[in-house]
Each structure stands twice: as C-alpha cells, then as structure tokens.
Amino acid sequence: MAASGAPDGTATSETTDSAVSAPVQMGRYGQPSHLLVQISDPHFLAAGAPLYGRVDTERAVREAIRLVENSGLRPDAVLVTGDVADRGEADAYRRIRAIIEPAAKRLGAELVWVMGNHDSRGPFRRELLGAKATTEPVDAVLTINGLRIITLDSSVPGYHHGDLSDDQLYWLGRELAAAAPNGTILVLHHPPLPTSFPILTILELQRQERLADTIAGTDVRVILAGHLHYATAGSFAGVPVSVAAATSYTMDLAGPQRELVGVDGGQSISLIRVYDDQIVTSVLPLGNFEQVSGFDEAFLSRLEQLSPGARIDAFSRFTGPE
C-alpha cells in the first residue's frame, strides 16, 4: 500500500489537529459487530514439559495473548479449538487455563473451550469447565449480542479421527431450528474439508454428509475448526470453513506430500470479524518482526477528518514514476 503527500508520509491536504472522538467509517465497510480470537491446538503437557522434548507450547500461548492485548483489540470471545492438552493430563489443563482465563477476563471476552482428539473428556470438563467429570460429548451453545456460537465435540475416545453421533446431530438440529438474530458460528475440532496430506485423510471427520444435512437451510454462517496444524479455508455444504493453524507446531506444506512433517515454526492464531453480510478471518502470526513501513494513529486521525475525495487524493494517489 502506498500513499502520496509529503516525503514523511503525512497527508498534504488540509487537516486539523483536533482529536476525533470515535472511528470514522472511511470505506464501504464499517466496524464489525463481533470480533473473535481463535487459538488452536496448543497441545499442553503436564509440568510445562516441552512437546516432543523441544517445543515450548506455553511460551507460544503467552505470546498469542501478549499480541492480542498489546494490539488494543477487544474480542467478544476467545475460542480454543481443541487439542488443548496433548495427553489429556489434568495439570496440562490447569496450566493453560491459568494463562488464558485471566487474559479473557482482562479483555472482557467470553472463553470457549472445544474438545479435540488429544483431549480427555473427564479432565477437560473438570479442569476447564469446573463441571463433573463425565465421558459425554462436550457440546455447548453461547449467544453473544445476537451471535450464536455452537461448539460440537467431534472427538472419538481412543481414536484421532472425528465423528458426530446421532444424538449430537439431533441436538444440533434442534438448536438450529430457530435462527439467531446475527446468525450462528459452528465450532468443532475436525474440519469438514479435504487436506493435501494423504495420511491426514485417515484422521478426518467421518460421515460428513450427516452434518451437511443437519445444517442445510439453517443460519450457520461459518464453520471454525483446527486439527490440521496449518491455516486453510474452503466451503462445506455451501458454508465457508476457516481452519486455524496451531500455536504448538505446524505442518510443513512445502515438504513431501506423502510424508507428514511437523515443524517448530509458522505458529499463528486467527481473528474472526463478523459483519452484517459476511464474516472475515485473518491470520495473526506469532513472533516479533522488524517494522519496515507504516502509518501511525495520528496520521489515521488526520485522514478521518478529510472528505472522502480528499482522503483518496491524500492516501490513494500514486506519485511515483509513470
């Protein structure tokens, strides 16, 4: 992105120094009605042990929280979409809850925990939800200012592939029978999407056509998932699907496709912005990166005070060589 004006990047059209009390809509789209943060596949171990003896999973989650808090973003909810613990250990759940729960409170956000194939339902319920430890699927519904978030437990105890029972789909159908004011976001660990890794297809969500039948004609606006350890997107039964990468480790998409190589790099979280007519997901990489360009808040404030035409002239006009 480039902008014209003075060499220091300031707008050359008339501006004033008075402060703007609220953000000004400068383009077609205004502010989203809801903002969600998605953290996926942290794979915590008891006693803070490094995953595979090398990966500091706690550092990555702390880094994710730091980035969100320092950004000034104030999400409506933080979603942790499965494989919260690598071995379903009680101490692993306690450790991650001690990091994320206080952060969610500081942000004023709801906290939503989702089961994954590495999780164990009993410790998950007891340590994360403060509920009685049972082996029943962990399904839930939460409505935030008219936006309904439904979480489905796609785990199969003792296995790593995903599935949904008849009872779960019946419950989902009943929940979706009446539309929510701002629609529904469906969240589960196993994404109903193809993957380029043949070996991962063994661990996909089974009997997907049953889920497709259940959500057909409903107000489900997007499906959020994890499991794959790389960010990807597609559609399922006419509904957009967004998969968050992991904070623990990621799949090497440039590696041999008939192999499965996990690397300690490329970790990220996802941001989900909900608008009246669409939902937009973005990837937020974890790490510290050197800034090479930018425009500060003061520059944005000056642009906000200009007329639409003057903004185009100040920020869009290209003054470089023809």
Side-chain angles (χ1 to χ4, degrees):
M1 179 182 294
S4 64
D8 62 357
T10 57
T12 54
S13 299
E14 289 186 9
T15 62
T16 67
D17 294 328
S18 61
V20 178
S21 59
V24 175
Q25 182 173 336
M26 296 191 291
R28 179 185 181 91
Y29 303 101
Q31 294 297 308
S33 62
H34 298 77
L35 172 65
L36 311 176
V37 169
Q38 183 183 1
I39 298 172
S40 200
D41 296 84
H43 284 266
F44 269 40
L45 287 168
L51 187 64
Y52 301 123
R54 303 176 63 180
V55 180
D56 188 345
T57 57
E58 294 195 9
R59 180 204 58 77
V61 169
R62 292 184 188 278
E63 172 69 7
I65 295 299
R66 183 190 69 81
L67 286 175
V68 173
E69 291 192 304
N70 288 352
S71 71
L73 296 171
R74 290 299 176 262
D76 296 281
V78 175
L79 315 176
V80 188
T81 51
D83 287 358
V84 182
D86 188 63
R87 299 175 183 169
E89 299 162 308
D91 183 63
Y93 291 125
R94 289 193 290 267
R95 297 180 77 88
I96 193 169
R97 181 179 179 180
I99 296 172
I100 296 183
E101 188 173 84
K105 290 180 179 179
R106 291 193 300 269
L107 293 166
E110 298 283 351
L111 179 54
V112 178
W113 302 100
V114 182
M115 276 281 298
N117 50 281
H118 278 262
D119 291 308
S120 179
R121 289 172 178 171
F124 184 101
R125 284 182 178 277
R126 183 176 61 248
E127 303 299 340
L128 296 181
L129 307 180
K132 181 180 179 181
T134 73
T135 59
E136 294 300 311
V138 186
D139 304 323
V141 58
L142 170 70
T143 301
I144 305 174
N145 297 326
L147 178 68
R148 180 167 55 191
I149 300 173
I150 296 179
T151 61
L152 284 176
D153 182 351
S154 58
S155 69
V156 179
Y159 294 86
H160 287 304
H161 69 269
D163 203 356
L164 298 168
S165 70
D166 292 340
D167 287 344
Q168 287 179 284
L169 292 171
Y170 176 74
W171 172 82
L172 175 63
R174 286 177 60 89
E175 291 293 332
L176 294 174
N182 288 312
T184 295
I185 291 180
L186 185 61
V187 189
L188 73 169
H189 184 65
H190 296 80
L193 285 183
T195 173
S196 61
F197 294 104
I199 193 171
L200 275 185
T201 63
I202 302 171
L203 308 183
E204 66 188 6
L205 182 69
Q206 302 292 306
R207 302 185 295 173
Q208 295 181 16
E209 65 282 354
R210 297 159 66 249
L211 176 61
D213 290 342
T214 304
I215 67 175
T218 69
D219 69 344
V220 174
R221 300 180 62 187
V222 70
I223 298 172
L224 303 179
H227 186 54
L228 297 181
H229 286 247
Y230 63 89
T232 191
S235 64
F236 172 74
V239 177
V241 179
S242 178
V243 180
T247 59
S248 53
Y249 66 95
T250 64
M251 292 296 119
D252 183 3
L253 292 176
Q257 294 300 288
R258 291 185 60 79
E259 299 179 11
L260 195 61
V261 178
V263 297
D264 186 7
Q267 292 92 338
S268 65
I269 62 176
S270 291
L271 304 177
I272 299 96
R273 291 179 169 88
V274 179
Y275 296 86
D276 290 341
D277 59 347
Q278 62 180 296
I279 294 178
V280 179
T281 62
S282 307
V283 174
L284 177 58
L286 304 186
N288 295 306
F289 306 101
E290 179 183 2
Q291 180 175 339
V292 296
S293 69
F295 299 90
D296 61 17
E297 193 277 335
F299 177 68
L300 175 63
S301 294
R302 291 195 292 274
L303 287 178
E304 287 177 326
Q305 296 173 66
L306 301 178
S307 68
R311 290 181 197 132
I312 293 291
D313 192 62
F315 195 63
S316 178
R317 182 184 295 277
F318 180 59
T319 58
E322 296 293 336

